[in-house]
Structures are given as structure tokens and as C-alpha cells.
Amino acid sequence: MENQDQICKNACKVTCSENLAAVEDALYVISGKWKLKIIIVLQEMGNIRFNELQRLIPGISARVLSNELKDLELNGFVKRVVHAEQTPVVVEYISTDYSRTLKSVIISLSEWGKTHKRNIREDAF
Amino acid sequence: MENQDQICKNACKVTCSENLAAVEDALYVISGKWKLKIIIVLQEMGNIRFNELQRLIPGISARVLSNELKDLELNGFVKRVVHAEQTPVVVEYISTDYSRTLKSVIISLSEWGKTHKRNIREDAF
DNA sequence: CGGAATCCCCACGGATACTG
DNA sequence: CAGTATCCGTGGGGATTCCG
């Protein structure tokens, strides 16, 4: 019966759009050229200052880094700590607990990136 | 001794840039507004035709969908199957085995998206 | 040092119309 | 149906300069 087929297809569409929505929600916050990279460096390095952060992320400009950090702070991924007692002022950025919930996303992404690179290499020869 | 601190920091920088590179390799292929979404729908629905694909991805235009599909095909994520025997011609898109290696990435991303949405809701009140 | 302000460009992608 | 062609706006982001 064709009905079975239709029912199945429609069920697929539902779980499909649910998945789509979930991924969209995730991408809305962490997509973009730099966001995930910044989060990774912050998690790996603990506290870190603006200029060193910029040095560790090849290619990012100061303006863009500044904007991204504001965005990440607004969304609770980054904490900004100012040590005003010193001159010149020292500013440190620290990853929050919430940003650590992204751990599994980062891991699976970097795992996939590694094997993907290997596959590309093999194809090349 | 300060040396210990320095050695540790430098080790961090190494694993850090390795992670960064891996994630960059991954993002290079699957980042963008639509790529992952298309892959998700394709995996969920099995074979699917152009117009239905467009309908299932709200907001995407025909031109962009067409371009993205070409790109995904080049990278081995999508198979394009033409049934020329019929008129009008039927074209189906099918997700490849290779695109299925992204499964864990998609799952962790959609899982995170769901819990993130919940957190946002709570913050709102 | 840690940014903010300004200028400027171009490519991503939307809208519309057309084709095999 | 399954796209392609063309036109066009806009905003992401680079380069540079300036400020506290």
C-alpha cells in the first residue's frame, strides 16, 4: 500500500525539521569564521590576553577579534577580566563553564577534520 | 620555577594549534549557512528531488541550493542521479556514505542546539 | 596594551526572469 | 521540473588610523 510509504515519509519530514531547527539554533550562536576557534583557544589556554589571543588565531584582525569577543561575552561563552590596578591595563579573557558544554561538539568536529584531511591526502595521489 | 609554567604554556599552544587546524579543515568543507542543513535533510529523507529539497529547507533560494549541491557533490557528500528516461526529467539527490561520517558531528551539534534553546528560554524569564 | 572609529570593497546571496 | 542568467543590495570583514 502506498499509504505506508506516505506515512513514513511524513514522519521523516517531522524528525527532519526538528533536527534542522536544533542545528540551526546551534549554528546561530557558534557559526562564523572565528567563533569556534576563539572558544577553542580560550579553553586550551585558560586565561589569555588580547594580543596573544590574536597571535594564536592566524589571520584574524583586531577589529574582528574585538567584535567576536563582545558577541561571545554576550552569549555567555567568554568572561572578560580587567586588571585596572596596573598600567598599562591588563585585560584577560577566560572561557566560561557554559562554553565547556561545547566540548563534545568541538571534539567531534576536530576528529572529523583530522580523518577528513587524511582522506583528502589519499585522494590526491 | 617559571620554567615549568613556560613549558606548559608552550605545550598548550601546540595542542591548541593542532585542534585549531583540525577544526578549520572541517569548517572549510561544511561551514556556511546551508551545507549542513542540506546534508541533514538528505540523510533523513533518503533520495529526494530538487524542489522538495528546497521546500524542506525554509529560506533557501533555487540558485543557492543549486550552487551548494554542486559544491557538496564535488566534495563527495552528495550523489546526483538523473532519470533521463522520463519527461520531464527527474533528478534525485542522495547522500553518500562519506556524508554519513558526519553523523557524530551532526548529532552533537543538534543535541547542543536543543539544550541551548532550553537554556535561552529559562534566561528569558 | 587593548581596543574604537572610519573607510571601503567585494562576494554572498536574494529577487526575478528565462530555458530545456 | 530542474535548474541558469542577470541584476543588485548589504554587511562581513580587511587596512589603517587614532585614543586612553
Side-chain angles (χ1 to χ4, degrees), chain A residues 109-119, chain B residues 18-19 22 25:
Chain A
L109 212 49
S110 95
E111 288 294 312
W112 190 87
K114 281 175 198 160
T115 66
H116 175 64
K117 194 170 198 171
R118 251 180 270 132
N119 293 332
Chain B
E18 283 170 3
N19 253 310
D25 292 334

Side-chain angles (χ1 to χ4, degrees), chain A residues 49-51 63 66 80 93:
Chain A
R49 296 169 63 181
F50 188 89
N51 280 329
R63 194 177 77 98
S66 174
R80 187 171 184 268
Y93 293 91

Side-chain angles (χ1 to χ4, degrees), chain A residues 39-58:
Chain A
I39 290 174
I40 290 171
V41 174
L42 245 37
Q43 288 185 2
E44 211 82 40
M45 302 295 291
N47 56 336
I48 187 172
R49 296 169 63 181
F50 188 89
N51 280 329
E52 191 177 11
L53 189 48
Q54 186 179 2
R55 250 171 286 141
L56 285 180
I57 304 179

